[in-house]
Amino acid sequence: MLCPCGSSLPFNACCQLYITQQVPPSSPEQLMRSRFSAYATKNGQYIFDTYAASQRLKQSVTEIQTWADECSWLALKIHESDETTVEFSAYYVVDNILCELREKSNFTIEQGQWRYIDGNITVHNEIVTIKRNEVCPCNKYPMAWSARKGKKFKHCCAK
């Protein structure tokens, strides 16, 4: 299985190493990619654990897990990253609607590990309502980890 983060590496050689805490992410971009992969693989605990301590007080593993479970996470596109920020777009499907979430995220180091603080959402659009017999939208994103070439939505990400 390819890594959901779009790296084109196998999941077990990429973000799974971070999610299972075998190694810590070494940059904000790696942490962002691993958080997207955690959403895609429905691992709410990892997402919660990678929030900065001050932000964990405002979060709930249950709410994070519910959001991850309600969506099919298709693709991640990194627009820009530097020492403490990552601007990205995450593409996902919820209730048969393809959405884009574009955010500029802020990160910090706590106890020697990168943590997500917060982000400024610049775009949160519903792109299109997907009909079951249409070609799955994951085919439109070259970095989509779940793309099954030419499959209808009902046989692909709608499952």
Side-chain angles (χ1 to χ4, degrees):
M1 170 172 111
L2 287 179
C3 191
C5 79
S7 69
S8 74
L9 294 172
F11 179 56
N12 65 359
C14 193
C15 290
Q16 186 177 22
L17 298 171
Y18 309 126
I19 293 169
T20 58
Q21 299 178 2
Q22 294 176 49
V23 294
S26 62
S27 69
E29 184 174 331
Q30 279 185 343
L31 180 58
M32 182 69 253
R33 288 178 177 280
S34 69
R35 285 172 57 88
F36 177 85
S37 293
Y39 274 111
T41 60
K42 317 292 187 203
N43 190 323
Q45 186 65 54
Y46 178 78
I47 297 159
F48 177 82
D49 292 344
T50 56
Y51 271 100
S54 63
Q55 298 301 310
R56 275 188 225 133
L57 302 172
K58 303 173 188 175
Q59 305 299 323
S60 144
V61 175
T62 303
E63 288 175 2
I64 293 168
Q65 189 64 56
T66 298
W67 177 239
D69 290 343
E70 288 176 353
C71 301
S72 292
W73 299 88
L74 304 182
L76 175 69
K77 179 179 180 182
I78 303 293
H79 299 287
E80 192 175 330
S81 65
D82 61 27
E83 300 83 30
T84 59
T85 64
V86 178
E87 186 172 357
F88 69 93
S89 287
Y91 298 92
Y92 64 96
V93 175
V94 63
D95 297 327
N96 294 351
I97 299 170
L98 174 63
C99 301
E100 175 190 7
L101 171 70
R102 185 168 179 159
E103 176 179 300
K104 186 168 186 177
S105 299
N106 301 299
F107 297 86
T108 190
I109 294 179
E110 288 181 349
Q111 299 176 346
Q113 295 197 12
W114 283 104
R115 296 288 183 242
Y116 172 82
I117 302 170
D118 60 15
N120 179 30
I121 296 173
T122 57
V123 173
H124 198 188
N125 286 337
E126 293 181 356
I127 298 171
V128 66
T129 299
I130 311 156
K131 295 185 174 100
R132 292 177 41 80
N133 287 318
E134 291 179 342
V135 173
C136 188
C138 71
N139 285 280
K140 297 178 184 175
Y141 299 98
M143 67 293 224
W145 67 289
S146 60
R148 297 182 193 121
K149 296 295 179 204
K151 292 278 186 181
K152 292 181 180 180
F153 179 58
K154 68 183 178 183
H155 297 299
C156 195
C157 293
K159 286 185 170 182

